[in-house]
Amino acid sequence: MDGETIACAYSDFADHFGFFLPLTGITTVKQIRENAFDIKATGRLNRLYVELLKDNPN
């Protein structure tokens, strides 16, 4: 990690999952991280993914 910090309500935590991508070996580009549209779209896709996993665990 590069010293960044995150502060948000617990209920909004899933919207910031990209913060932890470097821990999994996935790198991000600073311009994409700062683009509000991309952040919002990624958060929505993550919520869709989580809902799909609930109905289709395999």
Side-chain angles (χ1 to χ4, degrees):
M1 311 270 292
D2 59 5
E4 290 186 48
T5 59
I6 188 166
C8 66
Y10 184 74
S11 59
D12 296 332
F13 199 65
D15 294 334
H16 303 283
F17 72 94
F19 178 78
F20 297 100
L21 290 177
L23 292 175
T24 64
I26 300 172
T27 59
T28 58
V29 177
K30 186 175 183 177
Q31 292 85 356
I32 293 173
R33 283 185 289 161
E34 294 176 352
N35 186 323
F37 177 78
D38 289 338
I39 293 169
K40 184 180 263 187
T42 303
R44 288 180 178 171
L45 285 172
N46 183 55
R47 284 192 293 268
L48 173 63
Y49 177 73
V50 169
E51 289 301 317
L52 289 172
L53 279 179
K54 287 180 185 176
D55 293 333
N56 304 291
N58 295 325

